[in-house]
């Protein structure tokens, strides 16, 4: 993999990173991270759909000073990348493939879109990667959801079987499988990552944390997904592990240096909270009470799983450590949202 890259201000960039979905939530945190921590140039490929906006980038604190290092290329990769697109992308050394349709509820109402964006789209990106002469790594972003629910006490390792429960996770399993196949068949240097629930500044307002902040500010009742029996009695509350997107960005940078093509790595958060606990923590940081009611997720959201969990030993043993801790980064995310209500 790549040599350690030092931040060299004022020196001509030697590497170019292509980020698909760089106008999306995690993508823009990765853009910010690489602008701050390397001297690489970045090219973003995105179609700016309901989850993507260039305002995420122009909103970054160091944007004005750094924007000459970032180029934007418009393309919807459900279509293969033709010459108009590849010419604009230019020479590329690394691809971080994040762009995807990501909202589980939308995958349930429109599964074919998820096949097109995630399976067909990823295959188009991999086909493009085959044409690159100086490609050092293609990071194919996947999710803990491909492994299906994890019973309490179980954390899936990277080689666990895919048992997706909904069209989103099934399409991500298809996309990850295509990446692995392109490594084996054509030698494309694909690294697969499985990531847990990310949070951070400028996340889509439909997601749990921004939604909870809004409900708490307005004094509205927040639905908390749980398992209820036929009499409405609580059987258990869903839980997730959480990590700030800056930790995901630092893990990606680490993998470009230490990761091995053909391998998969779990990028984990260390803090598991039930849906009620995370909502209560958000309310505590906002400084207002949480009003909530339990709703049965089986009834409301078929295909949603109660718990996901990944084993992070492989990345830890390679030497990666998270950059920011959960409590501090959650507090900062909430302070940012309170100061910038346009993002929630
Ligand atoms: N957010 C999480 O908690 C989480 C957890 C695990 C894995 N992931 C994975 O990380 C990646 C990024 O997630 P996110 O939450 O930042 O996503 P997001 O929904 O915020 O952003 C997705 C971006 O991709 C773009 N896009 C979608 N389809 C496209 C297409 N066909 N052509 C071009 N651009 C397209 C959108 O315009 C948007 O800018 C995804 O692959 C997702 O599956 C996310």
């Amino acid at each position: 993999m790549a040599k350690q890259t030092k931040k060299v201000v004022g020196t001509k960039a030697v590497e170019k990173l292509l980020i698909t979905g760089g106008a999306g939530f995690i993508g823009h945190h990765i853009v910010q991270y690489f602008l701050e921590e390397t001297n690489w140039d970045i090219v973003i490929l995105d179609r700016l759909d309901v989850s993507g906006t260039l305002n995420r980038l122009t909103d970054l604190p160091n944007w004005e000073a750094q924007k000459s290092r970032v180029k934007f290329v418009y393309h919807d990769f459900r279509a293969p990348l033709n010459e108009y697109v590849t010419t604009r992308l230019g020479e590329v050394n690394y691809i971080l493939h994040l762009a995807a349709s990501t909202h589980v509820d939308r995958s349930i109402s429109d599964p074919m879109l998820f096949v097109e964006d995630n399976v067909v789209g990823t295959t188009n990106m991999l086909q493009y990667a085959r044409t690159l002469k100086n490609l050092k790594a293609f990071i194919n972003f996947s999710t803990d959801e491909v492994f299906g629910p994890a019973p309490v006490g179980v954390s899936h390792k990277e080689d666990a079987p895919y048992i997706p429960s909904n069209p989103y996770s099934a399409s991500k399993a298809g996309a990850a499988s295509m990446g692995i196949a392109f490594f084996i068949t054509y030698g494309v240097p694909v690294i697969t990552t499985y990531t847990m629930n990310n949070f951070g500044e400028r996340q889509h307002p439909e997601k749990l944390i921004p939604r909870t902040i809004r409900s708490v500010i307005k004094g509205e009742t927040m639905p908390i997904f749980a398992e209820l029996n036929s009499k409405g009695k609580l059987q258990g509350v869903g839980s997730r592990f959480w990590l700030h997107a800056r930790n995901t960005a630092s893990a990606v940078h680490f993998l470009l240096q230490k990761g091995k093509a053909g391998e998969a790595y779990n990028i984990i958060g260390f803090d598991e909270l039930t849906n009620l606990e995370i909502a209560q923590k958000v309310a505590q940081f906002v400084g207002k009470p949480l009003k909530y009611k339990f709703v049965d997720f089986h009834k409301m959201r078929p295909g949603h799983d109660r718990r996901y969990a990944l084993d992070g030993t492989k990345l830890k043993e390679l030497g990666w450590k998270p950059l920011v801790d959960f409590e501090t980064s959650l507090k900062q995310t909430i302070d940012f949202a309170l100061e910038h209500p346009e993002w929630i």
Side-chain angles (χ1 to χ4, degrees):
M1 286 294 101
K3 288 193 194 102
Q4 182 90 28
T5 309
K6 295 230 167 63
K7 192 168 15 178
V8 189
V9 179
T11 315
K12 201 173 178 315
V14 285
E15 305 281 19
K16 189 150 89 187
L17 186 65
L18 163 58
I19 307 182
T20 73
F25 163 58
I26 301 179
H28 95 282
H29 275 282
I30 294 184
V31 172
Q32 179 177 14
Y33 180 92
F34 277 86
L35 286 178
E36 289 171 4
E37 300 299 324
T38 74
N39 66 341
W40 299 1
D41 280 341
I42 296 172
V43 58
I44 293 171
L45 183 147
D46 204 300
R47 71 170 175 201
L48 302 178
D49 65 18
V50 286
S51 340
T53 167
L54 292 176
N55 293 311
R56 285 201 174 96
L57 300 167
T58 57
D59 208 44
L60 291 176
N62 54 350
W63 179 249
E64 278 307 313
Q66 300 288 1
K67 65 182 181 190
S68 62
R69 290 169 56 199
V70 184
K71 182 174 178 182
F72 177 77
V73 175
Y74 177 85
H75 181 63
D76 183 334
F77 54 51
R78 284 178 293 175
L81 281 67
N82 65 19
E83 237 182 296
Y84 293 107
V85 177
T86 56
T87 307
R88 282 166 175 77
L89 295 176
E91 187 75 28
V92 168
N93 307 109
Y94 301 99
I95 298 176
L96 307 182
H97 177 47
L98 285 104
S101 273
T102 57
H103 288 232
V104 176
D105 289 338
R106 285 193 203 139
S107 84
I108 292 166
S109 54
D110 188 1
M112 196 52 85
L113 175 68
F114 281 66
V115 175
E116 288 167 5
D117 281 336
N118 299 350
V119 186
V120 176
T122 298
T123 310
N124 280 328
M125 286 309 303
L126 289 161
Q127 285 281 57
Y128 159 69
R130 286 178 66 195
T131 68
L132 298 175
K133 291 198 176 60
N134 296 312
L135 184 70
K136 298 178 189 176
F138 180 117
I139 298 207
N140 199 16
F141 256 74
S142 199
T143 163
D144 52 4
E145 300 191 27
V146 296
F147 302 116
V152 175
V154 171
S155 300
H156 295 301
K157 284 191 184 288
E158 289 82 351
D159 58 0
Y162 294 156
I163 312 177
S165 304
N166 57 61
Y168 165 65
S169 48
S171 68
K172 291 298 289 183
S177 303
M178 271 298 177
I180 294 161
F182 269 61
F183 167 72
I184 295 170
T185 311
Y186 307 111
V188 177
V190 174
I191 293 174
T192 311
T193 58
Y194 302 105
T195 313
M196 294 170 145
N197 268 40
N198 275 238
F199 68 91
E201 296 76 5
R202 307 174 201 85
Q203 191 165 23
H204 194 281
E206 270 180 35
K207 296 287 179 159
L208 181 67
I209 291 178
R211 208 173 147 200
T212 309
I213 299 173
R214 248 181 7 253
S215 298
V216 170
I217 292 173
K218 291 184 182 163
E220 289 171 359
T221 301
M222 182 72 194
I224 302 286
F225 290 109
E227 219 163 335
L228 306 178
N229 69 13
S230 55
K231 292 183 180 135
K233 200 161 178 278
L234 186 66
Q235 304 297 295
V237 184
S239 72
R240 298 285 183 267
F241 284 82
W242 293 90
L243 77 159
H244 192 277
R246 189 153 182 98
N247 282 343
T248 303
S250 92
V252 165
H253 188 211
F254 179 86
L255 283 175
L256 292 183
Q257 298 161 64
K258 298 269 170 73
K260 208 168 148 232
E263 295 278 318
Y265 301 89
N266 290 338
I267 301 174
I268 74 159
F270 297 88
D271 296 83
E272 181 174 18
L273 285 90
T274 68
N275 298 338
L276 180 58
E277 285 167 340
I278 185 91
Q280 283 170 329
K281 208 155 245 322
V282 170
Q284 180 200 326
F285 286 144
V286 172
K288 289 193 169 181
L290 174 77
K291 289 187 195 158
Y292 67 92
K293 63 166 188 222
F294 287 122
V295 292
D296 187 53
F297 70 84
H298 290 307
K299 262 194 226 135
M300 294 294 293
R301 306 175 108 189
H304 283 254
D305 296 317
R306 180 159 154 188
R307 177 177 186 269
Y308 298 114
L310 296 176
D311 182 315
T313 311
K314 190 169 173 182
L315 197 54
K316 189 176 170 205
E317 283 182 349
L318 213 56
W320 178 73
K321 289 195 191 84
L323 268 186
V324 289
D325 74 82
F326 171 73
E327 290 268 333
T328 315
S329 55
L330 181 64
K331 170 98 177 57
Q332 281 168 356
T333 299
I334 289 160
D335 288 347
F336 176 88
L338 296 176
E339 283 160 27
H340 301 88
E342 67 276 17
W343 284 108
I344 51 164

